[in-house]
Amino acid sequence: SNVAAPLLLSSCLLPILRDLPTKGSLARTLLLAVAVSCNIGGMMTPVASPQNVMLRAALDQAGKQNPLTFFVWLEVSIPFVAVATVLLWLILIVFSLARGVP
C-alpha cells in the first residue's frame, strides 16, 4: 500500500540517514524518493492501493462494455510507471545537484 511501504522503507533508511551530514540535502532527497516512488508503485496494479480497488469497482458498476482486467490494467500502468520512475530519478538528480548534495 502507499502508506505501509514508505514506513517500512524509511525504517530501512534510518541507519543510512544517521551517517549522513546534517547540513546536506541528501537525506531529504532519499526520503522524498521513497515517498514518491511508493506512490508511483501504488499505481502499478489494481490491488496495490485501496484507491485502485475503488476505481475498478466504480468502473465495473458503470456498466463498461469491456471489463478492466488485471492484465489490461498492467498494459496501461507499466509504461506509465516506467516513464514516471525515470522522470522522478531525473528530477531528484537535478534538484540534488542544484542544492549541492555532498
Side-chain angles (χ1 to χ4, degrees), residues 1-14 34-35 38:
S1 109
N2 296 357
V3 176
L7 287 174
L8 292 171
L9 291 173
S10 296
S11 66
C12 294
L13 275 178
L14 282 178
V34 166
C38 287

mmCIF file with all atom_site columns, all heavy atoms in Angstrom, residues 1-14 34-35 38:
data_model
loop_
_atom_site.group_PDB
_atom_site.id
_atom_site.type_symbol
_atom_site.label_atom_id
_atom_site.label_alt_id
_atom_site.label_comp_id
_atom_site.label_asym_id
_atom_site.label_entity_id
_atom_site.label_seq_id
_atom_site.pdbx_PDB_ins_code
_atom_site.Cartn_x
_atom_site.Cartn_y
_atom_site.Cartn_z
_atom_site.occupancy
_atom_site.B_iso_or_equiv
_atom_site.pdbx_formal_charge
_atom_site.auth_seq_id
_atom_site.auth_comp_id
_atom_site.auth_asym_id
_atom_site.auth_atom_id
_atom_site.pdbx_PDB_model_num
ATOM 1   N N   . SER A 1 1  ? 0.835  -1.184 0.000  1.00 0.00 ? 1  SER A N   1
ATOM 2   C CA  . SER A 1 1  ? 0.000  0.000  0.000  1.00 0.00 ? 1  SER A CA  1
ATOM 3   C C   . SER A 1 1  ? 0.874  1.239  0.000  1.00 0.00 ? 1  SER A C   1
ATOM 4   O O   . SER A 1 1  ? 2.058  1.181  0.316  1.00 0.00 ? 1  SER A O   1
ATOM 5   C CB  . SER A 1 1  ? -0.940 -0.076 1.182  1.00 0.00 ? 1  SER A CB  1
ATOM 6   O OG  . SER A 1 1  ? -0.651 0.833  2.193  1.00 0.00 ? 1  SER A OG  1
ATOM 7   N N   . ASN A 1 2  ? 0.286  2.376  -0.319 1.00 0.00 ? 2  ASN A N   1
ATOM 8   C CA  . ASN A 1 2  ? 1.050  3.622  -0.396 1.00 0.00 ? 2  ASN A CA  1
ATOM 9   C C   . ASN A 1 2  ? 1.435  4.169  0.971  1.00 0.00 ? 2  ASN A C   1
ATOM 10  O O   . ASN A 1 2  ? 2.219  5.101  1.056  1.00 0.00 ? 2  ASN A O   1
ATOM 11  C CB  . ASN A 1 2  ? 0.236  4.685  -1.136 1.00 0.00 ? 2  ASN A CB  1
ATOM 12  C CG  . ASN A 1 2  ? -0.027 4.318  -2.563 1.00 0.00 ? 2  ASN A CG  1
ATOM 13  O OD1 . ASN A 1 2  ? 0.427  3.295  -3.050 1.00 0.00 ? 2  ASN A OD1 1
ATOM 14  N ND2 . ASN A 1 2  ? -0.779 5.145  -3.244 1.00 0.00 ? 2  ASN A ND2 1
ATOM 15  N N   . VAL A 1 3  ? 0.872  3.620  2.032  1.00 0.00 ? 3  VAL A N   1
ATOM 16  C CA  . VAL A 1 3  ? 1.187  4.097  3.374  1.00 0.00 ? 3  VAL A CA  1
ATOM 17  C C   . VAL A 1 3  ? 2.183  3.173  4.055  1.00 0.00 ? 3  VAL A C   1
ATOM 18  O O   . VAL A 1 3  ? 3.163  3.622  4.651  1.00 0.00 ? 3  VAL A O   1
ATOM 19  C CB  . VAL A 1 3  ? -0.100 4.218  4.219  1.00 0.00 ? 3  VAL A CB  1
ATOM 20  C CG1 . VAL A 1 3  ? 0.224  4.621  5.632  1.00 0.00 ? 3  VAL A CG1 1
ATOM 21  C CG2 . VAL A 1 3  ? -1.056 5.201  3.577  1.00 0.00 ? 3  VAL A CG2 1
ATOM 22  N N   . ALA A 1 4  ? 1.972  1.887  3.963  1.00 0.00 ? 4  ALA A N   1
ATOM 23  C CA  . ALA A 1 4  ? 2.824  0.934  4.665  1.00 0.00 ? 4  ALA A CA  1
ATOM 24  C C   . ALA A 1 4  ? 4.225  0.846  4.061  1.00 0.00 ? 4  ALA A C   1
ATOM 25  O O   . ALA A 1 4  ? 5.221  0.756  4.786  1.00 0.00 ? 4  ALA A O   1
ATOM 26  C CB  . ALA A 1 4  ? 2.172  -0.441 4.665  1.00 0.00 ? 4  ALA A CB  1
ATOM 27  N N   . ALA A 1 5  ? 4.325  0.872  2.765  1.00 0.00 ? 5  ALA A N   1
ATOM 28  C CA  . ALA A 1 5  ? 5.631  0.732  2.109  1.00 0.00 ? 5  ALA A CA  1
ATOM 29  C C   . ALA A 1 5  ? 6.614  1.848  2.482  1.00 0.00 ? 5  ALA A C   1
ATOM 30  O O   . ALA A 1 5  ? 7.768  1.557  2.806  1.00 0.00 ? 5  ALA A O   1
ATOM 31  C CB  . ALA A 1 5  ? 5.456  0.628  0.607  1.00 0.00 ? 5  ALA A CB  1
ATOM 32  N N   . PRO A 1 6  ? 6.204  3.126  2.453  1.00 0.00 ? 6  PRO A N   1
ATOM 33  C CA  . PRO A 1 6  ? 7.168  4.159  2.861  1.00 0.00 ? 6  PRO A CA  1
ATOM 34  C C   . PRO A 1 6  ? 7.610  4.029  4.315  1.00 0.00 ? 6  PRO A C   1
ATOM 35  O O   . PRO A 1 6  ? 8.764  4.309  4.642  1.00 0.00 ? 6  PRO A O   1
ATOM 36  C CB  . PRO A 1 6  ? 6.425  5.475  2.648  1.00 0.00 ? 6  PRO A CB  1
ATOM 37  C CG  . PRO A 1 6  ? 5.311  5.173  1.749  1.00 0.00 ? 6  PRO A CG  1
ATOM 38  C CD  . PRO A 1 6  ? 4.987  3.729  1.922  1.00 0.00 ? 6  PRO A CD  1
ATOM 39  N N   . LEU A 1 7  ? 6.694  3.592  5.186  1.00 0.00 ? 7  LEU A N   1
ATOM 40  C CA  . LEU A 1 7  ? 7.081  3.414  6.586  1.00 0.00 ? 7  LEU A CA  1
ATOM 41  C C   . LEU A 1 7  ? 8.126  2.321  6.730  1.00 0.00 ? 7  LEU A C   1
ATOM 42  O O   . LEU A 1 7  ? 9.103  2.470  7.460  1.00 0.00 ? 7  LEU A O   1
ATOM 43  C CB  . LEU A 1 7  ? 5.854  3.087  7.429  1.00 0.00 ? 7  LEU A CB  1
ATOM 44  C CG  . LEU A 1 7  ? 4.898  4.243  7.675  1.00 0.00 ? 7  LEU A CG  1
ATOM 45  C CD1 . LEU A 1 7  ? 3.655  3.774  8.403  1.00 0.00 ? 7  LEU A CD1 1
ATOM 46  C CD2 . LEU A 1 7  ? 5.584  5.339  8.447  1.00 0.00 ? 7  LEU A CD2 1
ATOM 47  N N   . LEU A 1 8  ? 7.921  1.209  6.040  1.00 0.00 ? 8  LEU A N   1
ATOM 48  C CA  . LEU A 1 8  ? 8.887  0.120  6.112  1.00 0.00 ? 8  LEU A CA  1
ATOM 49  C C   . LEU A 1 8  ? 10.231 0.527  5.501  1.00 0.00 ? 8  LEU A C   1
ATOM 50  O O   . LEU A 1 8  ? 11.290 0.231  6.059  1.00 0.00 ? 8  LEU A O   1
ATOM 51  C CB  . LEU A 1 8  ? 8.339  -1.116 5.398  1.00 0.00 ? 8  LEU A CB  1
ATOM 52  C CG  . LEU A 1 8  ? 7.149  -1.789 6.066  1.00 0.00 ? 8  LEU A CG  1
ATOM 53  C CD1 . LEU A 1 8  ? 6.571  -2.863 5.161  1.00 0.00 ? 8  LEU A CD1 1
ATOM 54  C CD2 . LEU A 1 8  ? 7.566  -2.383 7.397  1.00 0.00 ? 8  LEU A CD2 1
ATOM 55  N N   . LEU A 1 9  ? 10.192 1.191  4.370  1.00 0.00 ? 9  LEU A N   1
ATOM 56  C CA  . LEU A 1 9  ? 11.437 1.609  3.727  1.00 0.00 ? 9  LEU A CA  1
ATOM 57  C C   . LEU A 1 9  ? 12.150 2.707  4.508  1.00 0.00 ? 9  LEU A C   1
ATOM 58  O O   . LEU A 1 9  ? 13.378 2.761  4.516  1.00 0.00 ? 9  LEU A O   1
ATOM 59  C CB  . LEU A 1 9  ? 11.159 2.063  2.302  1.00 0.00 ? 9  LEU A CB  1
ATOM 60  C CG  . LEU A 1 9  ? 10.750 0.945  1.344  1.00 0.00 ? 9  LEU A CG  1
ATOM 61  C CD1 . LEU A 1 9  ? 10.338 1.512  -0.001 1.00 0.00 ? 9  LEU A CD1 1
ATOM 62  C CD2 . LEU A 1 9  ? 11.859 -0.062 1.184  1.00 0.00 ? 9  LEU A CD2 1
ATOM 63  N N   . SER A 1 10 ? 11.397 3.562  5.163  1.00 0.00 ? 10 SER A N   1
ATOM 64  C CA  . SER A 1 10 ? 12.027 4.598  5.984  1.00 0.00 ? 10 SER A CA  1
ATOM 65  C C   . SER A 1 10 ? 12.795 3.991  7.142  1.00 0.00 ? 10 SER A C   1
ATOM 66  O O   . SER A 1 10 ? 13.883 4.464  7.495  1.00 0.00 ? 10 SER A O   1
ATOM 67  C CB  . SER A 1 10 ? 10.981 5.567  6.529  1.00 0.00 ? 10 SER A CB  1
ATOM 68  O OG  . SER A 1 10 ? 10.363 6.244  5.470  1.00 0.00 ? 10 SER A OG  1
ATOM 69  N N   . SER A 1 11 ? 12.259 2.932  7.711  1.00 0.00 ? 11 SER A N   1
ATOM 70  C CA  . SER A 1 11 ? 12.984 2.277  8.802  1.00 0.00 ? 11 SER A CA  1
ATOM 71  C C   . SER A 1 11 ? 14.250 1.600  8.283  1.00 0.00 ? 11 SER A C   1
ATOM 72  O O   . SER A 1 11 ? 15.240 1.499  9.006  1.00 0.00 ? 11 SER A O   1
ATOM 73  C CB  . SER A 1 11 ? 12.084 1.266  9.521  1.00 0.00 ? 11 SER A CB  1
ATOM 74  O OG  . SER A 1 11 ? 11.748 0.207  8.652  1.00 0.00 ? 11 SER A OG  1
ATOM 75  N N   . CYS A 1 12 ? 14.252 1.170  7.042  1.00 0.00 ? 12 CYS A N   1
ATOM 76  C CA  . CYS A 1 12 ? 15.473 0.612  6.449  1.00 0.00 ? 12 CYS A CA  1
ATOM 77  C C   . CYS A 1 12 ? 16.494 1.709  6.146  1.00 0.00 ? 12 CYS A C   1
ATOM 78  O O   . CYS A 1 12 ? 17.699 1.458  6.159  1.00 0.00 ? 12 CYS A O   1
ATOM 79  C CB  . CYS A 1 12 ? 15.146 -0.133 5.159  1.00 0.00 ? 12 CYS A CB  1
ATOM 80  S SG  . CYS A 1 12 ? 14.143 -1.594 5.389  1.00 0.00 ? 12 CYS A SG  1
ATOM 81  N N   . LEU A 1 13 ? 16.021 2.911  5.870  1.00 0.00 ? 13 LEU A N   1
ATOM 82  C CA  . LEU A 1 13 ? 16.915 4.029  5.559  1.00 0.00 ? 13 LEU A CA  1
ATOM 83  C C   . LEU A 1 13 ? 17.519 4.692  6.798  1.00 0.00 ? 13 LEU A C   1
ATOM 84  O O   . LEU A 1 13 ? 18.517 5.405  6.677  1.00 0.00 ? 13 LEU A O   1
ATOM 85  C CB  . LEU A 1 13 ? 16.157 5.103  4.786  1.00 0.00 ? 13 LEU A CB  1
ATOM 86  C CG  . LEU A 1 13 ? 16.053 4.958  3.291  1.00 0.00 ? 13 LEU A CG  1
ATOM 87  C CD1 . LEU A 1 13 ? 15.223 6.087  2.706  1.00 0.00 ? 13 LEU A CD1 1
ATOM 88  C CD2 . LEU A 1 13 ? 17.396 4.916  2.634  1.00 0.00 ? 13 LEU A CD2 1
ATOM 89  N N   . LEU A 1 14 ? 16.945 4.471  7.966  1.00 0.00 ? 14 LEU A N   1
ATOM 90  C CA  . LEU A 1 14 ? 17.415 5.168  9.166  1.00 0.00 ? 14 LEU A CA  1
ATOM 91  C C   . LEU A 1 14 ? 18.907 4.993  9.431  1.00 0.00 ? 14 LEU A C   1
ATOM 92  O O   . LEU A 1 14 ? 19.592 5.973  9.737  1.00 0.00 ? 14 LEU A O   1
ATOM 93  C CB  . LEU A 1 14 ? 16.596 4.737  10.382 1.00 0.00 ? 14 LEU A CB  1
ATOM 94  C CG  . LEU A 1 14 ? 15.214 5.371  10.488 1.00 0.00 ? 14 LEU A CG  1
ATOM 95  C CD1 . LEU A 1 14 ? 14.471 4.841  11.697 1.00 0.00 ? 14 LEU A CD1 1
ATOM 96  C CD2 . LEU A 1 14 ? 15.311 6.878  10.530 1.00 0.00 ? 14 LEU A CD2 1
ATOM 97  N N   . VAL A 1 34 ? 11.759 7.904  -1.638 1.00 0.00 ? 34 VAL A N   1
ATOM 98  C CA  . VAL A 1 34 ? 10.987 6.770  -1.111 1.00 0.00 ? 34 VAL A CA  1
ATOM 99  C C   . VAL A 1 34 ? 9.494  7.079  -1.166 1.00 0.00 ? 34 VAL A C   1
ATOM 100 O O   . VAL A 1 34 ? 8.693  6.256  -1.619 1.00 0.00 ? 34 VAL A O   1
ATOM 101 C CB  . VAL A 1 34 ? 11.436 6.431  0.327  1.00 0.00 ? 34 VAL A CB  1
ATOM 102 C CG1 . VAL A 1 34 ? 10.449 5.510  1.016  1.00 0.00 ? 34 VAL A CG1 1
ATOM 103 C CG2 . VAL A 1 34 ? 12.815 5.805  0.307  1.00 0.00 ? 34 VAL A CG2 1
ATOM 104 N N   . ALA A 1 35 ? 9.119  8.264  -0.717 1.00 0.00 ? 35 ALA A N   1
ATOM 105 C CA  . ALA A 1 35 ? 7.692  8.612  -0.679 1.00 0.00 ? 35 ALA A CA  1
ATOM 106 C C   . ALA A 1 35 ? 7.071  8.632  -2.070 1.00 0.00 ? 35 ALA A C   1
ATOM 107 O O   . ALA A 1 35 ? 6.007  8.040  -2.303 1.00 0.00 ? 35 ALA A O   1
ATOM 108 C CB  . ALA A 1 35 ? 7.509  9.962  0.006  1.00 0.00 ? 35 ALA A CB  1
ATOM 109 N N   . CYS A 1 38 ? 6.980  5.136  -3.829 1.00 0.00 ? 38 CYS A N   1
ATOM 110 C CA  . CYS A 1 38 ? 5.919  4.269  -3.300 1.00 0.00 ? 38 CYS A CA  1
ATOM 111 C C   . CYS A 1 38 ? 4.559  4.662  -3.882 1.00 0.00 ? 38 CYS A C   1
ATOM 112 O O   . CYS A 1 38 ? 3.724  3.799  -4.139 1.00 0.00 ? 38 CYS A O   1
ATOM 113 C CB  . CYS A 1 38 ? 5.889  4.321  -1.779 1.00 0.00 ? 38 CYS A CB  1
ATOM 114 S SG  . CYS A 1 38 ? 7.257  3.434  -1.033 1.00 0.00 ? 38 CYS A SG  1
#
